[in-house]
Amino acid sequence: MTRRYDDSLYIVPEQTGDLLAGRCSDPFSILGRHNAGKVDIIRAFYPDAAKVRLVVQRPRSAPAERAMRPVDDTGMYIGTVPQGAHYHFRITWADAVEEAADPYSFGPLLDEEDLNTFSKGINHHPERMLGAHPMMIDGVEGVRFSVWAPNARRVSVIGDFNIWDGRRHSMRLRHAAGVWEIFIPGIGAGERYKFEIMAKNGSLLPQKADPFARFSERPPATASLVMSDTRFAWSDDAWMGERAGRQSPEAPISIYEVHVSSWRRPGGDPDRTATWNDLTRELIPYAVKMGFTHIELLPIMEYPFGGSWGYQSLGLFAPSARHGKPPEFAAFINACHAAGLGVILDWVPAHFPNDVHGLACFDGTALFEHMDPREGVHRDWNTLIYNFGRHEVRAFLISSALMWLERYHIDGLRVDAVASMLYRDYSRVEGDWVPNVHGGRENLEAVSFIRELNDVITREVPDAIIIAEESTAWPGVTHTTPEGGLGFSFKWNMGWMHDTLTFIQRDPLWRGYHLSEILFGMHYGFSERFVLSLSHDEVTHGKGSLVARMPGDYWQKHANLRSYLAFMWCHPGKKLLFMGCEIAQQHEWNHDGEVDWVALNDPLKAGMQRLVADLNHMMRAYPALHEADCDPRGFSWLIGDDVSNAVFAWARFAPNGVPVVVVWNTTPLVRHQYRVGLPSGGYWHEVINTDGEIYGGSNTGNGGGVNAQGQPTHGCNWSCELTLPPLAVLILSPFLPEV
């Protein structure tokens, strides 16, 4: 029996020309299923296919095949199926036959309410909606792709699965939110992809990586990779249950800052980069042995330029492929928690690089950034500034922060370059910035974003900590937002770092005239919750290493640094030290190299390493050295005016712990019979003497301790006479725990 065809069913719509030319903004109006009474018209677009056939499911018999009619040589095929029948395609290529479901047979994918809340900026988890998500729809496995590009004329998903042909998988626009979507059947995790975007004027933009990609190719390759939605099998319940107490203002916090690529090169090979598995085997035991409570990683969010150290991030949802796959990163975090280590990530919402495959001019307009370079360009770094006043951009950034904290169990974020966000005239000359609506220099949109970020994290991940790198005197950085603050947990104390480094680099002969550089920090030391930081920024950009900046000969340089680190550990505030500083690395940090581990053959380097470990263990053992870091009742100067001897002394207290007294001789002269006040009587142990032989010192000291005498001094009822070693710190306490 001859089948009769109704030629009217095979007429192509008027917009088909735009589809074939790659200009169509509504491919679903042409392709896929379209009802025509008792039959559905099926249109498909497979350029370069030899033929395409419909495989139609029948309820009581085997599937039937029907040829699809090609429309000239356009790559368009048309066929019909009974109304509502299930079907798929059998496509014959030059070298293979492919069975594929029709990507244009699926209805709208994203929830309308999610789209509405995203456009209003009240959806703090758009990463669950946008990006690439493997899933099953109507029994068909594939990947749902969606992307925000409200000003594009056409958006397509391109990848190996469609020979990077932007005409093959054009997406549907959900108009209210400016989000494009499509479900591509038959692909899954591991697929490479990008978005091909046509601007309103019809020009094709450079192929764009997915802003919400959860993994990417290893740079310099730039494609995004589809990742499984399967969650990592965590075993860190004990850690997570204790985390709030481990990260409170009263807890001992000592952070080891690490640039993952240059901490240690596998086999010493400068061309190799450590994997997360390597770091699990080596970095975690090292940090534990050294007594640090946390590791802080310079940004590991995917970034194109290695020389940026990660601070020019583009993949805000993707651990860098330089070190392994996302499950391996999760396993590293899990292992840190098992070892009792917290993990803090540096996170950069202040700016992003202008690489063409990234966020810049994403849909042909300034979408993520500002159009006006006076607002949208960082002159210092030649990077672009996020438009913090745009709802969708804020949601993008907040969802990134939450993703690291929730999906990867990260314990805290250190927010980079906060000062550059707060001020519109940051590092700008007159006329190169735009005042706010009140005519001021404050970036009101950025301030609002920061407060919203911290409020959301406080509500959804209350035991995580958020640390600000903020170098100005902006008030209330660590105050709550109801109090008018920014809502951070801690703030880097950049003023303390600058002043005290200036002091310790001075010739000891003149230090007595500059005591204020040490004393001044305590005038504001409790105005915020501070982290004392000696970060990567202090050992690069031509500044030299810490030990190289110390005055004196080789021995004195190390003695000065030992005393300075002990001063830091005994000063109120949490601690952060960049890798290599703990071994007094001689040369400046080089991101293409590694920590100079060979230097540990030098007793002075090994002694520095031991001192840092002992300081960490001591800080944990003595509540007086951490419980009142943020409480002025926990600190008292004993000596701060000894200009002639350049000696400092102070006491630290804790509500339920014994006091600690610290004496710092900042000159190379031994001071004999130097009297210092003590808060109580009895025997005071010399807990740490940085001039000890085990640290590379001259072993001058007090034989392990002294007895207090009932002679009032420095406002105390008790005192003692000490021998002060040269360029050294003595740490005394009536209690001597095992450290």
Side-chain angles (χ1 to χ4, degrees), residues 347-663:
W347 183 66
V348 188
H351 61 124
F352 61 92
N354 55 16
D355 297 66
V356 295
H357 72 281
L359 303 178
C361 197
F362 188 78
D363 64 356
T365 67
L367 189 63
F368 287 87
E369 70 273 33
H370 292 272
M371 182 179 296
D372 188 337
R374 295 176 300 168
E375 293 185 278
V377 176
H378 265 309
R379 306 298 188 191
D380 291 351
W381 307 307
N382 192 32
T383 53
L384 303 177
I385 301 171
Y386 288 105
N387 185 346
F388 299 112
R390 187 156 194 167
H391 293 319
E392 299 90 343
V393 174
R394 293 159 73 112
F396 168 75
L397 292 170
I398 291 172
S399 66
S400 167
L402 288 174
M403 189 277 299
W404 295 105
L405 298 172
E406 295 175 339
R407 186 179 186 90
Y408 288 107
H409 288 201
I410 296 302
D411 303 293
L413 300 174
R414 200 275 297 187
V415 182
D416 181 66
V418 171
S420 76
M421 301 168 67
L422 294 176
Y423 299 98
R424 287 175 164 266
D425 63 345
Y426 179 86
S427 195
R428 293 179 184 272
V429 298
E430 187 67 31
D432 193 33
W433 60 281
V434 180
N436 63 33
V437 293
H438 305 297
R441 58 195 288 256
E442 298 82 7
N443 190 328
L444 303 179
E445 294 82 6
V447 172
S448 173
F449 160 72
I450 289 170
R451 288 173 170 159
E452 181 182 4
L453 168 75
N454 287 323
D455 282 346
V456 171
I457 292 173
T458 299
R459 182 175 65 249
E460 299 199 17
V461 197
D463 55 350
I465 56 174
I466 309 298
I467 304 169
E469 183 206 18
E470 203 286 306
S471 55
T472 74
W474 186 282
V477 172
T478 59
H479 296 187
T480 65
T481 57
E483 296 172 325
L486 296 182
F488 285 100
S489 310
F490 296 98
K491 169 184 172 175
W492 274 16
N493 195 335
M494 311 295 278
W496 174 92
M497 175 273 299
H498 178 270
D499 291 344
T500 60
L501 274 178
T502 299
F503 177 87
I504 199 64
Q505 291 175 81
R506 295 187 183 279
D507 187 318
L509 181 64
W510 309 111
R511 285 176 177 167
Y513 300 100
H514 299 279
L515 303 183
S516 62
E517 291 169 344
I518 297 297
L519 300 173
F520 183 66
M522 292 314 302
H523 286 288
Y524 61 86
F526 302 106
S527 62
E528 305 277 5
R529 294 187 294 272
F530 282 119
V531 174
L532 309 182
S533 59
L534 293 175
S535 74
H536 61 282
D537 280 329
E538 309 319 312
V539 292
T540 188
H541 300 310
K543 295 176 183 176
S545 68
L546 289 183
V547 73
R549 291 153 69 181
M550 300 295 112
D553 60 25
Y554 189 72
W555 185 90
Q556 289 178 334
K557 287 178 181 292
H558 288 80
N560 271 299
L561 183 55
R562 288 195 303 269
S563 72
Y564 181 62
L565 293 178
F567 157 68
M568 173 180 174
W569 254 255
C570 294
H571 191 285
K574 309 311 177 185
K575 326 300 178 198
L576 178 141
L577 189 67
F578 184 58
M579 66 183 199
C581 297
E582 81 277 14
I583 66 168
Q585 181 167 290
Q586 201 67 29
H587 57 74
E588 184 175 275
W589 169 53
N590 174 15
H591 69 271
D592 289 324
E594 69 173 352
V595 173
D596 187 14
W597 301 110
V598 177
L600 287 171
N601 293 323
D602 181 341
L604 288 176
K605 309 295 185 186
M608 192 74 67
Q609 184 187 49
R610 178 166 183 173
L611 174 64
V612 171
D614 286 353
L615 290 171
N616 274 328
H617 292 298
M618 176 199 66
M619 183 188 68
R620 292 190 186 201
Y622 285 91
L625 294 177
H626 61 259
E627 277 191 1
D629 272 336
C630 306
D631 186 340
R633 292 172 296 180
F635 178 89
S636 176
W637 283 114
L638 299 174
I639 302 172
D641 57 356
D642 190 348
V643 174
S644 59
N645 294 307
V647 170
F648 297 94
W650 63 94
R652 297 290 306 274
F653 304 96
N656 300 306
V658 297
V660 171
V661 167
V662 186
V663 186

Side-chain angles (χ1 to χ4, degrees), residues 127-128 132-136 141-143 188-190 214-215 225-234 317 319 325-331 403 406-409:
E127 84 286 355
R128 299 173 184 174
H133 295 269
M135 60 182 57
M136 181 179 289
E141 291 187 346
V143 178
R214 286 174 290 155
F215 196 46
L225 296 175
V226 176
M227 283 302 299
S228 169
D229 273 331
T230 303
R231 297 285 178 150
F232 180 78
W234 294 94
F317 295 82
K325 297 179 179 179
E328 294 165 340
F329 174 67
M403 189 277 299
E406 295 175 339
R407 186 179 186 90
Y408 288 107
H409 288 201

Side-chain angles (χ1 to χ4, degrees), residues 158-461:
I158 54 176
D160 296 326
F161 46 84
N162 60 18
I163 325 174
W164 300 87
D165 184 345
R167 300 172 299 166
R168 289 273 302 276
H169 290 108
S170 294
M171 306 174 79
R172 172 194 286 119
L173 174 62
R174 304 294 293 274
H175 292 272
V179 172
W180 301 75
E181 64 176 17
I182 192 170
F183 178 72
I184 301 182
I187 64 173
E191 291 280 2
R192 299 192 307 154
Y193 72 99
K194 285 187 177 181
F195 295 113
E196 183 178 275
I197 300 177
M198 178 177 284
K200 284 289 188 187
N201 62 9
S203 63
L204 278 180
L205 302 175
Q207 296 175 351
K208 294 291 188 178
D210 182 359
F212 285 88
R214 286 174 290 155
F215 196 46
S216 301
E217 289 185 293
R218 179 168 179 161
T222 58
S224 302
L225 296 175
V226 176
M227 283 302 299
S228 169
D229 273 331
T230 303
R231 297 285 178 150
F232 180 78
W234 294 94
S235 59
D236 62 349
D237 287 353
W239 167 272
M240 298 298 281
E242 300 171 355
R243 187 168 72 174
R246 289 175 178 264
Q247 303 192 143
S248 72
E250 296 75 36
I253 296 178
S254 176
I255 304 166
Y256 187 49
E257 189 190 30
V258 175
H259 177 249
V260 171
S261 295
S262 62
W263 181 72
R264 191 189 297 275
R265 299 284 177 178
D269 185 343
D271 295 325
R272 295 180 61 193
T273 301
T275 66
W276 296 119
N277 293 333
D278 294 330
L279 295 161
T280 297
R281 290 192 302 270
E282 299 182 27
L283 175 58
I284 293 175
Y286 179 77
V288 170
K289 179 181 177 181
M290 290 297 297
F292 289 100
T293 64
H294 290 70
I295 297 171
E296 181 174 320
L297 304 179
L298 271 63
I300 52 83
M301 300 82 189
E302 194 59 84
Y303 55 99
F305 175 46
S308 76
W309 315 330
Y311 288 101
Q312 294 186 15
S313 306
L314 268 183
L316 262 63
F317 295 82
S320 177
R322 292 167 175 85
H323 312 295
K325 297 179 179 179
E328 294 165 340
F329 174 67
F332 169 76
I333 304 302
N334 199 49
C336 284
H337 290 170
L341 282 172
V343 181
I344 299 167
L345 298 185
D346 278 11
W347 183 66
V348 188
H351 61 124
F352 61 92
N354 55 16
D355 297 66
V356 295
H357 72 281
L359 303 178
C361 197
F362 188 78
D363 64 356
T365 67
L367 189 63
F368 287 87
E369 70 273 33
H370 292 272
M371 182 179 296
D372 188 337
R374 295 176 300 168
E375 293 185 278
V377 176
H378 265 309
R379 306 298 188 191
D380 291 351
W381 307 307
N382 192 32
T383 53
L384 303 177
I385 301 171
Y386 288 105
N387 185 346
F388 299 112
R390 187 156 194 167
H391 293 319
E392 299 90 343
V393 174
R394 293 159 73 112
F396 168 75
L397 292 170
I398 291 172
S399 66
S400 167
L402 288 174
M403 189 277 299
W404 295 105
L405 298 172
E406 295 175 339
R407 186 179 186 90
Y408 288 107
H409 288 201
I410 296 302
D411 303 293
L413 300 174
R414 200 275 297 187
V415 182
D416 181 66
V418 171
S420 76
M421 301 168 67
L422 294 176
Y423 299 98
R424 287 175 164 266
D425 63 345
Y426 179 86
S427 195
R428 293 179 184 272
V429 298
E430 187 67 31
D432 193 33
W433 60 281
V434 180
N436 63 33
V437 293
H438 305 297
R441 58 195 288 256
E442 298 82 7
N443 190 328
L444 303 179
E445 294 82 6
V447 172
S448 173
F449 160 72
I450 289 170
R451 288 173 170 159
E452 181 182 4
L453 168 75
N454 287 323
D455 282 346
V456 171
I457 292 173
T458 299
R459 182 175 65 249
E460 299 199 17
V461 197

